[in-house]
Amino acid sequence: MAAATERSSVMEVEDGEGDALKAYHEDFKEIEEVRSLIDGLKDVYEDLRSLEMSCERFTIIIDSYQEQPHLIDPHLESLLLQLLNQARNSDTPVPVVHLAFKYIYLITKMRGYKIVVRLLPHEVADVEPVLALIKQQDPYDFKNWESRYILLLWLSMVCMIPFDMVRLDGSLGTEGGEKKKPVMDRIIEVGKTYLSVSGKSRDAAAFLLSRFMTRPDVVKQKLPEFLDWCVQILHTTDRKTMMGTNQLSGVLMTMALLFKQSKREDLLQYAPSVLTNVKDSNMMESGNTILRKLTIKLIQRLGLTFLKNRVAAWRYKRGSRSLTENLKQTKQTNKTENKIDVDEEDDDDIDVPEEIEDVIEQLLGGLRDKDTIVRWSAAKGIGRVTGRLPKELADEVVGSVLELFSLQETDGAWHGGCLALAELGRRGLLVPQRLPDVVPVVLRALAYDERRGSFSVGAHVRDAACYVNWAFARAYDPQEISPYVNKIANGLLVASVFDREVNVRRAASAAFQENVGRQGTFPHGIDILTAADYYAVGMRNYCYLELSVYIAQFKEYSKSLIDHLAEVKSAHWDNAIRELASKSLHNLTAREPEYVSKTVLPALIENATGIDVYQRHGSILAAAEVTHALSKFALTQGRSISDMIDESSIEGLRSLAKKLRDSQLFRGLGGELMRKAVCHLIQKMAESKMPYHGQPIIDVWQEILDDCLFHNEPEIQQASIEAAPAFYTEYCRDADGKLDTKRQNAVVEKYLKELKSSNEISRMGHSLALGGFPQFMLEGKLMEVLMGLVHASTIKENVVHMAEARRDAVKAITSIVKTVGVIPTGCPSSCICPDNISTVFNALLAAMKDYTLDSRGDVGSWVREASMMGLVVLMSLAVKADPQLVTPNLCEKVFCCLIQQACEKIDRTRAVAGSAFIDLLCHKPPIPHIPHKETLDNIFNPMASNNYRVVMENQMELIWGKVLTDEENRQFGTSSVNWSSPLETFPRFVQLLNLPAYRYCVLLGMAVSVGGLTESLVKHSSSSMYNYLRSHNYEGEQMEKFVETLVQIFKDFQKVDRVSVPLLKMIDQMLSKGCFSSFTKTEGHPFPIDMTELVKKELTRSGDPNKLMAGADVYCGLLEFPGDNRKKVLLNLVILLCHRYPRVRKSTANKMYEALVTYDGVVSDENLDEALNILSDTNWDNAIEEIRPIRNTLCDLLNISRPVIKKPLGNPEGSQGGKV
């Protein structure tokens, strides 16, 4: 007992998809806090901050019980009274009154107004105060709408007091000099006022008036007048205005609720007139969805008013469906008998007014509406009205609903018809005798998909059809449904597995589950439900490629699945669905090989040359996949493909590509689809080993594949490239396996020629095609092909822009290396061996230097990434074949290239480089001659320790039940490193600055990153660099070597803006942070002298303002170093003060000002103030002729010689060239 008491009142349960934690409560535990928040309203309403916190906390508490609102019931009445007492108190400030009503609204939203309204005070004494409070409200005050909403709900309860309203009037006094109106009139006036207000107040006003009009005294005195007012509003209100639309919505809602809640005998006499006026108002032609929906609701309520409340004796009764209902049956029957008269009389004795025909007609029209909410309301109306009709008339209604399922009707009509059938079936109004007519219609709706251009409509129809099947499962006994079980089960499973929309797949799965559970006659239902559950059908690829195969193992469903794919999905408008359908057919073929080969395949071949482009495309893909699947099945049976497919199908497949080409279907609309499909067909025919060797069709296929290599569409090129290896493997040899050397020579010669084409697309396609050649095609041609690809991967002056072609050439080299392999004793014309491996290595290393730029950015990175992957492949194969093939010099070059790329600025490139670096560092067998291998292992490979490996192997054995391989261990150890992240990459690689072999390449890569533009890149790379330098205290031997390397990089990349500009920025950052301050103690240190000369050379004749400003920043930083070099620096700076670009002049002046203030001894103390005034007060935007004298004065103050112009005076000073 104690344990139960101490148990937490909130349980956190993770939902099935693992999204968020949801709280499920056991009781309303925050009741005391809620009461304190209510009591504290008077204390916080003047403090906006406290008030906002109080409201937010109250809202959070109430909203957390939105899914379990019943937990508040024990406290609901007391909370309402606590809030209403504050609202009714005359001493309560007006803001607090509004807050109290807002809190009541939040509770009402959570619990529902029908529950809350019953608990509101409803004494006679409450009538006048509530009316007074309502009168104080402004109907159009948008801030306090909650007050008006709750007051109207309260009034709807108060107005139902069981006393004649006239008694409340007494002796009517005066108010404001006028005689006070009767309470009855005031309530009606309030309701009418708020019917034209948008928002929740209008709904409350409609509820108020509908209830008030049901009072006997109001019915006698006010009902006719009120109905006349409503009808007048329908005819006179302007629907084009927002005010008119709001008023019409309120009136229609009021009338619908009135005819729902009032007694039939009170309203029957007015119903015909109201129906006539509603029809005449043409409200169903309005463009407003809400008006049409409310009109349908009103019409269905009018129809129910015309008919007596009865339970049709003819309706289908399935009987009790649960133990709970059985136990309550007697009690429910007694209650029902008190509420309605169970009609046991004959249908002939039922009087059906003529108006019912108009009602049914309007409701059937509502089923065709364009909006779902209108159709749904009409469907419910059809169900309710039909339940009170005689059997013959009800059957006519069913027949009218079935007429909606015709090809002439819109998708909306089909959807509405499905909803109506579901309502009729759910209510037992669809008798079993109608099932032969209904079931075929529902199955057609289950596959409804109407194409409209490049898309289709019908998902809502299929979803509604699933609802119909769900409703039928609950409505009928198994013996009634049993004749249709196979058709329904197949239809639902097809929708569950193959529908394009996930909501339809899930709806069909739910309907199938309901049928399995309630009917119990669906074949293998439990087994299928176990696999095809709610979550499984949510993944489309899984449904098509795996789930369908599981279901097809049951013979009852295999053919219907195959037929649907072949007939429907292969012609679907969505390209992805057609491709999935072909792959699914491939997987299902083994379930019904005879049926597929004799029935499905001939039909697909016939459709492959049809008119519809989507059907042609899907049929070609499906025929290709089916043929391949049949060939694999034949292989398992020890038969050939010719034994599985008849001669006509073999001929049809052979002539298919030629027919399409001759019909010029590779051009125009859909030509791209046909090209891809035919390439796929060729690939699958080759993989199926179709007996076409030496036939003319092979030349046709060769032409098609070659033509696709020239196509601008990458997908078409890729389709041809993927098909080529299988095609050449099968058809470049005769039936006996002998190589066709003539075809080999022609193809290789042609492809190598295209590698020199001026068309980049052609180069790309033919490079990748060469890379996909099977090994026998490269026999005797390897060096020729390799040299052609090496040439194509090299940057030439006239093809610098062809970065993508060079990338694909590098990819082709890598692919060929994989194909032919590395054989130490092999021949260079057939494999990679010591005679040609250096050629490949040199080509890949040369590609690592491709830094081509265009409007797309660093397109050379594509080439470098392809090269890195190629180096990994080649190094791995070489080491496995003969470690001696990897020389120390070669190994160092490879690792230096990878490390440099891992330190550069592009995230994607860093990720590739990091992965490649780790692959080679942890390679098994180990790569020989890796410089500083032990240090690299300590930094990058924590698994190098034997103890660590033993511990991890033990852990993995516990987790996976096995000891992982070296490869798996390696991947596990490095998978946590995100090499594209600067935060994770730079701190590791910056440590390599201590290693002489890697210092140059690390610093080169870091320079580009530290001086980059991206904030996160600069932040993490620079912090890693400074942390490294700080660890050496910015001095010592490592610092000297660092500076030497830095100067050497600057010399090597002089005038290479890709490196020099970010390098200048990096040097400026390091100077500003005092990284080189230790050199100021060493007189005549070469660093400032070398840097001054290098910056001067870099800026000479440069027209790039960014580079010039970066150089000026470095100059200013070099002023820190005393000595004769300082005058050279100052001279270069004052030259820039007269540069032709004003922004360069201003930037230089600002930096000089900061430098003169920062560094002592740059200018004498007596001249310092004047020099600073010149730098700060001069307008450097003025003409150079005005600035030059001022600049010369500054030179005198700085004690340096004035610059002299070497060029003619007509050429203004524009660069450091031309100055002394």
Side-chain angles (χ1 to χ4, degrees):
M1 191 69 177
T5 305
E6 294 174 1
R7 185 176 55 183
S8 173
S9 61
V10 178
M11 296 178 293
E12 289 188 347
V13 181
E14 188 174 2
D15 63 8
E17 296 182 354
D19 293 332
L21 291 177
K22 297 182 179 179
Y24 290 94
H25 307 273
E26 294 183 350
D27 53 32
F28 195 81
K29 66 171 185 174
E30 295 96 346
I31 181 62
E32 295 303 327
E33 184 180 359
V34 169
R35 292 189 191 282
S36 65
L37 289 172
I38 295 172
D39 290 335
L41 286 178
K42 291 184 179 180
D43 302 326
V44 302
Y45 80 95
E46 291 181 328
D47 183 358
L48 289 179
R49 184 173 181 274
S50 301
L51 176 60
E52 185 175 350
M53 291 176 63
S54 175
C55 290
E56 185 176 356
R57 179 59 186 157
F58 190 90
T59 303
I60 290 172
I61 293 173
I62 296 300
D63 286 350
S64 68
Y65 290 89
Q66 193 74 48
E67 296 184 4
Q68 296 171 283
H70 60 279
L71 294 179
I72 201 176
D73 287 353
H75 316 285
L76 185 56
E77 188 170 5
S78 61
L79 289 175
L80 292 175
L81 287 175
Q82 187 180 0
L83 287 164
L84 287 174
N85 286 337
Q86 293 202 29
R88 288 190 289 190
N89 192 337
S90 58
D91 297 332
T92 304
V94 174
V96 177
V97 173
H98 289 307
L99 284 172
F101 283 126
K102 180 178 180 179
Y103 281 14
I104 296 176
Y105 166 73
L106 291 172
I107 295 173
T108 304
K109 184 186 74 169
M110 183 260 284
R111 191 63 187 100
Y113 77 93
K114 292 182 180 179
I115 301 294
V116 172
V117 76
R118 295 201 300 260
L119 300 176
L120 296 173
H122 47 277
E123 303 292 334
V124 175
D126 293 316
V127 176
E128 285 295 342
V130 173
L131 283 172
L133 283 171
I134 292 179
K135 188 174 181 180
Q136 296 172 11
Q137 307 300 314
D138 179 4
Y140 301 102
D141 176 16
F142 66 91
K143 291 183 179 180
N144 301 307
W145 61 269
E146 296 98 336
S147 301
R148 302 192 297 275
Y149 175 68
I150 296 301
L151 283 170
L152 289 168
L153 287 181
W154 192 4
L155 185 58
S156 71
M157 191 64 192
V158 172
C159 73
M160 299 305 291
I161 56 174
F163 301 102
D164 196 317
M165 282 290 171
V166 178
R167 295 186 182 183
L168 299 179
D169 297 332
S171 54
L172 294 174
T174 59
E175 182 178 10
E178 296 181 1
K179 187 176 180 181
K180 186 183 288 187
K181 293 182 180 179
V183 172
M184 189 181 297
D185 292 344
R186 286 156 61 194
I187 292 176
I188 294 175
E189 184 178 338
V190 166
K192 288 181 178 179
T193 300
Y194 284 96
L195 281 183
S196 59
V197 177
S198 61
K200 298 289 288 183
S201 299
R202 182 186 64 207
D203 300 345
F207 182 69
L208 163 66
L209 287 172
S210 64
R211 294 197 71 189
F212 188 59
M213 287 297 165
T214 61
R215 291 177 56 94
D217 51 348
V218 178
V219 168
K220 293 178 183 178
Q221 300 180 38
K222 298 295 183 181
L223 182 59
E225 178 186 342
F226 179 74
L227 289 176
D228 288 341
W229 177 81
C230 291
V231 168
Q232 183 181 3
I233 292 296
L234 293 180
H235 289 292
T236 59
T237 301
D238 185 4
R239 304 177 194 174
K240 297 180 180 179
T241 64
M242 182 61 71
M243 181 70 73
T245 302
N246 288 334
Q247 190 173 31
L248 282 173
S249 299
V251 168
L252 288 171
M253 189 184 304
T254 304
M255 295 173 72
L257 289 171
L258 178 60
F259 278 89
K260 176 183 178 180
Q261 296 174 355
S262 293
K263 295 179 181 179
R264 177 174 181 266
E265 52 270 21
D266 292 339
L267 293 172
L268 184 59
Q269 57 181 318
Y270 308 112
S273 174
V274 173
L275 177 62
T276 302
N277 282 280
V278 170
K279 287 171 54 183
D280 293 343
S281 67
N282 296 323
M283 204 63 66
M284 290 303 295
E285 298 177 6
S286 169
N288 189 290
T289 305
I290 301 299
L291 291 181
R292 299 200 307 276
K293 176 199 169 186
L294 293 172
T295 302
I296 286 294
K297 289 179 72 71
L298 174 57
I299 289 173
Q300 67 166 285
R301 290 300 169 187
L302 287 168
L304 294 174
T305 303
F306 287 121
L307 299 169
K308 288 184 179 181
N309 194 2
R310 61 187 288 272
V311 174
W314 53 266
R315 72 189 180 101
Y316 178 78
K317 303 178 183 65
R318 180 175 178 179
S320 184
R321 304 173 195 179
S322 70
L323 179 60
T324 306
E325 291 186 6
N326 285 332
L327 294 174
K328 295 180 179 179
Q329 186 173 5
T330 305
K331 186 176 179 181
Q332 287 180 346
T333 304
N334 293 335
K335 287 187 177 181
T336 304
E337 287 175 356
N338 292 333
K339 287 185 178 179
I340 59 175
D341 297 327
V342 179
D343 190 4
E344 299 292 346
E345 61 183 337
D346 295 335
D347 286 345
D348 296 338
D349 298 331
I350 300 174
D351 181 27
V352 179
E354 294 180 358
E355 290 82 1
I356 287 297
E357 185 175 347
D358 293 335
V359 170
I360 297 294
E361 182 181 353
Q362 292 292 325
L363 293 177
L364 289 172
L367 293 178
R368 295 183 172 91
D369 196 88
K370 63 180 181 178
D371 288 302
T372 300
I373 59 171
V374 181
R375 297 195 294 268
W376 183 230
S377 184
K380 290 190 286 188
I382 288 287
R384 289 172 179 147
V385 173
T386 306
R388 299 187 184 184
L389 290 176
K391 185 175 181 179
E392 291 184 3
L393 292 180
D395 191 64
E396 291 182 12
V397 173
V398 174
S400 299
V401 171
L402 292 176
E403 290 177 1
L404 297 174
F405 299 94
S406 68
L407 297 178
Q408 287 74 32
E409 295 287 356
T410 64
D411 58 290
W414 279 69
H415 181 251
C418 287
L419 295 178
L421 288 179
E423 282 295 312
L424 292 170
R426 197 168 61 85
R427 298 169 185 270
L429 305 175
L430 202 58
V431 293
Q433 291 77 10
R434 269 291 189 176
L435 287 178
D437 301 324
V438 172
V439 171
V441 164
V442 174
L443 293 176
R444 282 163 49 204
L446 205 54
Y448 184 89
D449 195 35
E450 183 182 347
R451 189 189 304 172
R452 293 184 180 175
S454 59
F455 67 98
S456 71
V457 294
H460 59 314
V461 177
R462 301 193 298 275
D463 186 73
C466 294
Y467 172 53
V468 176
N469 283 287
W470 179 89
F472 283 4
R474 302 169 69 90
Y476 296 101
D477 285 322
Q479 61 268 25
E480 306 290 354
I481 295 290
S482 59
Y484 316 101
V485 160
N486 286 334
K487 291 182 179 179
I488 294 175
N490 277 284
L492 288 174
L493 282 178
V494 164
S496 299
V497 178
F498 294 140
D499 200 278
R500 180 178 183 271
E501 311 301 332
V502 63
N503 63 301
V504 179
R505 293 199 301 274
R506 284 177 166 165
S509 175
F512 186 84
Q513 179 179 348
E514 193 73 18
N515 276 277
V516 170
R518 294 189 180 272
Q519 297 294 325
T521 55
F522 276 38
H524 311 285
I526 299 298
D527 295 333
I528 293 173
L529 279 181
T530 305
D533 59 13
Y534 177 86
Y535 300 105
V537 299
M539 299 174 285
R540 189 165 67 186
N541 281 15
Y542 174 77
C543 287
Y544 271 82
L545 304 180
E546 297 184 39
L547 190 55
S548 62
V549 179
Y550 175 80
I551 295 174
Q553 69 178 308
F554 307 113
K555 292 295 183 181
E556 294 87 348
Y557 306 116
S558 56
K559 288 186 179 179
S560 63
L561 294 176
I562 292 171
D563 287 342
H564 181 81
L565 289 171
E567 297 170 7
V568 179
K569 287 299 184 282
S570 63
H572 198 272
W573 58 271
D574 189 346
N575 183 43
I577 294 296
R578 296 196 300 274
E579 292 178 358
L580 276 175
S582 66
K583 294 175 183 177
S584 183
L585 270 174
H586 178 279
N587 294 342
L588 295 179
T589 297
R591 300 294 183 188
E592 296 284 347
E594 293 296 327
Y595 176 72
V596 170
S597 63
K598 294 180 179 178
T599 305
V600 175
L601 183 57
L604 290 172
I605 295 172
E606 182 179 354
N607 294 334
T609 54
I611 298 176
D612 182 36
V613 61
Y614 295 145
Q615 188 178 46
R616 283 202 310 271
H617 177 249
S619 297
I620 294 171
L621 293 178
E625 292 288 350
V626 163
T627 305
H628 187 210
L630 288 172
S631 71
K632 291 198 291 187
F633 179 79
L635 190 62
T636 62
Q637 302 295 316
R639 302 158 63 188
S640 67
I641 184 64
S642 302
D643 298 331
M644 294 293 301
I645 304 177
D646 58 33
E647 191 61 36
S648 60
S649 296
I650 293 176
E651 176 58 33
L653 291 168
R654 175 170 47 210
S655 61
L656 191 53
K658 188 174 186 303
K659 286 181 180 178
L660 294 171
R661 190 189 65 170
D662 294 344
S663 301
Q664 297 188 342
L665 292 177
F666 290 158
R667 301 179 180 178
L669 182 65
E672 290 84 358
L673 289 176
M674 291 301 101
R675 287 176 180 271
K676 286 192 293 184
V678 171
C679 288
H680 189 69
L681 175 71
I682 295 170
Q683 178 184 354
K684 292 302 176 182
M685 293 301 101
E687 291 175 356
S688 303
K689 301 186 183 303
M690 294 295 286
Y692 302 146
H693 302 81
Q695 297 184 17
I697 191 61
I698 301 302
D699 295 327
V700 174
W701 287 356
Q702 176 80 61
E703 292 175 12
I704 293 172
L705 292 177
D706 291 348
D707 187 48
C708 289
L709 291 176
F710 291 92
H711 205 279
N712 292 329
E713 189 66 37
E715 291 183 359
I716 296 176
Q717 262 197 355
Q718 189 60 35
S720 175
I721 292 164
E722 291 175 0
F727 172 76
Y728 291 125
T729 300
E730 185 64 27
Y731 297 118
C732 202
R733 294 185 286 197
D734 57 24
D736 299 328
K738 185 179 178 181
L739 176 64
D740 184 351
T741 54
K742 182 180 178 181
R743 184 180 296 276
Q744 179 200 24
N745 294 333
V747 169
V748 171
E749 182 181 352
K750 179 180 179 182
Y751 283 19
L752 289 175
K753 181 181 178 181
E754 290 299 330
L755 294 183
K756 301 176 182 178
S757 169
S758 59
N759 182 354
E760 185 178 16
I761 297 295
S762 175
R763 283 193 175 206
M764 292 165 58
H766 288 85
S767 293
L768 293 174
L770 283 168
F773 273 5
Q775 185 171 3
F776 73 88
M777 285 287 288
L778 297 168
E779 287 287 344
K781 299 284 185 179
L782 180 60
M783 283 305 298
E784 188 178 350
V785 171
L786 277 178
M787 294 311 297
L789 290 171
V790 168
H791 182 271
S793 68
T794 306
I795 299 179
K796 297 291 192 299
E797 185 176 352
N798 58 335
V799 290
V800 175
H801 62 284
M802 295 188 181
E804 289 173 284
R806 294 195 295 275
R807 174 201 63 193
D808 290 345
V810 172
K811 286 183 178 180
I813 292 173
T814 305
S815 181
I816 288 175
V817 169
K818 288 181 183 178
T819 301
V820 301
V822 177
I823 304 174
T825 58
C827 174
S829 62
S830 60
C831 66
I832 303 297
C833 62
D835 294 336
N836 60 10
I837 194 170
S838 59
T839 302
V840 181
F841 268 121
N842 291 336
L844 294 177
L845 289 171
M848 293 290 287
K849 299 178 182 179
D850 192 329
Y851 284 91
T852 306
L853 297 174
D854 65 10
S855 59
R856 295 169 293 181
D858 184 3
V859 293
S861 63
W862 302 335
V863 185
R864 300 197 302 274
E865 289 165 15
S867 176
M868 285 186 279
M869 291 185 281
L871 285 170
V872 172
V873 171
L874 184 55
M875 288 282 281
S876 177
L877 292 175
V879 169
K880 290 177 181 178
D882 183 3
Q884 294 182 1
L885 292 174
V886 181
T887 63
N889 182 45
L890 175 63
C891 188
E892 182 177 345
K893 285 183 179 179
V894 170
F895 271 79
C896 285
C897 286
L898 293 177
I899 289 171
Q900 178 188 333
Q901 296 303 315
C903 295
E904 290 204 353
K905 62 183 179 180
I906 302 177
D907 291 349
R908 187 192 66 249
T909 305
R910 276 202 315 277
V912 175
S915 298
F917 174 78
I918 288 297
D919 284 343
L920 294 181
L921 181 63
C922 304
H923 191 273
K924 298 297 179 183
I927 306 290
H929 313 303
I930 298 178
H932 311 289
K933 175 72 162 60
E934 186 175 345
T935 306
L936 294 180
D937 282 337
N938 292 331
I939 297 173
F940 295 99
N941 187 15
M943 289 165 32
S945 166
N946 290 330
N947 292 332
Y948 179 86
R949 292 182 66 85
V950 171
V951 172
M952 290 308 302
E953 284 180 2
N954 292 336
Q955 289 185 9
M956 290 299 99
E957 186 172 7
L958 290 174
I959 297 172
W960 302 106
K962 66 173 184 176
V963 177
L964 299 191
T965 63
D966 289 334
E967 177 70 14
E968 291 169 330
N969 267 318
R970 179 181 63 76
Q971 292 177 358
F972 179 82
T974 59
S975 61
S976 60
V977 179
N978 179 11
W979 296 111
S980 64
S981 169
L983 178 62
E984 299 187 42
T985 303
F986 289 114
R988 286 177 168 84
F989 281 102
V990 78
Q991 299 177 52
L992 304 188
L993 287 170
N994 289 323
L995 308 179
Y998 302 127
R999 185 179 294 119
Y1000 185 93
C1001 60
V1002 172
L1003 192 53
L1004 177 56
M1006 294 288 287
V1008 176
S1009 297
V1010 175
L1013 300 175
T1014 309
E1015 181 181 357
S1016 62
L1017 175 72
V1018 174
K1019 174 184 174 182
H1020 295 298
S1021 59
S1022 59
S1023 64
S1024 299
M1025 177 80 76
Y1026 301 142
N1027 288 338
Y1028 166 78
L1029 296 175
R1030 194 179 300 116
S1031 67
H1032 293 287
N1033 297 321
Y1034 303 110
E1035 58 187 10
E1037 182 183 358
Q1038 289 295 334
M1039 192 66 190
E1040 291 287 348
K1041 292 179 179 178
F1042 178 90
V1043 169
E1044 289 176 10
T1045 308
L1046 185 65
V1047 171
Q1048 187 61 46
I1049 290 173
F1050 207 163
K1051 291 178 179 178
D1052 294 344
F1053 290 91
Q1054 196 83 55
K1055 296 291 184 179
V1056 181
D1057 288 358
R1058 176 186 64 82
V1059 177
S1060 60
V1061 173
L1063 184 63
L1064 287 170
K1065 293 180 180 179
M1066 185 185 80
I1067 295 171
D1068 171 52
Q1069 290 183 41
M1070 298 178 73
L1071 287 167
S1072 64
K1073 290 185 180 293
C1075 295
F1076 306 118
S1077 297
S1078 61
F1079 300 150
T1080 60
K1081 304 172 186 177
T1082 306
E1083 186 176 352
H1085 195 283
F1087 171 71
I1089 300 172
D1090 293 342
M1091 197 55 62
T1092 302
E1093 290 301 318
L1094 288 170
V1095 174
K1096 181 178 180 180
K1097 288 181 182 179
E1098 187 65 33
L1099 300 188
T1100 300
R1101 301 193 181 279
S1102 173
D1104 181 3
N1106 292 321
K1107 181 193 286 190
L1108 292 165
M1109 290 187 289
D1113 294 344
V1114 174
Y1115 278 143
C1116 292
L1118 291 172
L1119 290 174
E1120 178 184 5
F1121 299 92
D1124 296 339
N1125 188 66
R1126 183 176 279 176
K1127 291 187 178 295
K1128 294 181 181 179
V1129 172
L1130 287 172
L1131 180 61
N1132 290 326
L1133 283 170
V1134 297
I1135 289 173
L1136 289 173
L1137 286 176
C1138 280
H1139 195 275
R1140 66 175 181 270
Y1141 295 147
R1143 58 186 292 204
V1144 175
R1145 301 198 294 268
K1146 288 191 291 184
S1147 175
T1148 304
N1150 291 334
K1151 286 292 183 179
M1152 277 191 71
Y1153 184 95
E1154 295 174 5
L1156 294 180
V1157 172
T1158 304
Y1159 305 124
D1160 296 332
V1162 178
V1163 61
S1164 60
D1165 294 340
E1166 59 271 16
N1167 295 335
L1168 179 61
D1169 290 341
E1170 187 176 353
L1172 293 177
N1173 289 335
I1174 289 175
L1175 289 171
S1176 60
D1177 297 343
T1178 303
N1179 183 0
W1180 299 101
D1181 285 332
N1182 291 339
I1184 293 178
E1185 289 73 13
E1186 299 178 24
I1187 294 173
R1188 187 176 291 112
I1190 301 173
R1191 190 271 313 270
N1192 291 339
T1193 302
L1194 181 62
C1195 291
D1196 297 338
L1197 294 173
L1198 296 175
N1199 196 24
I1200 59 175
S1201 59
R1202 298 180 178 184
V1204 178
I1205 300 174
K1206 287 185 176 180
K1207 293 183 178 180
L1209 292 175
N1211 187 2
E1213 301 178 34
S1215 66
Q1216 290 205 332
K1219 304 289 189 301
V1220 295

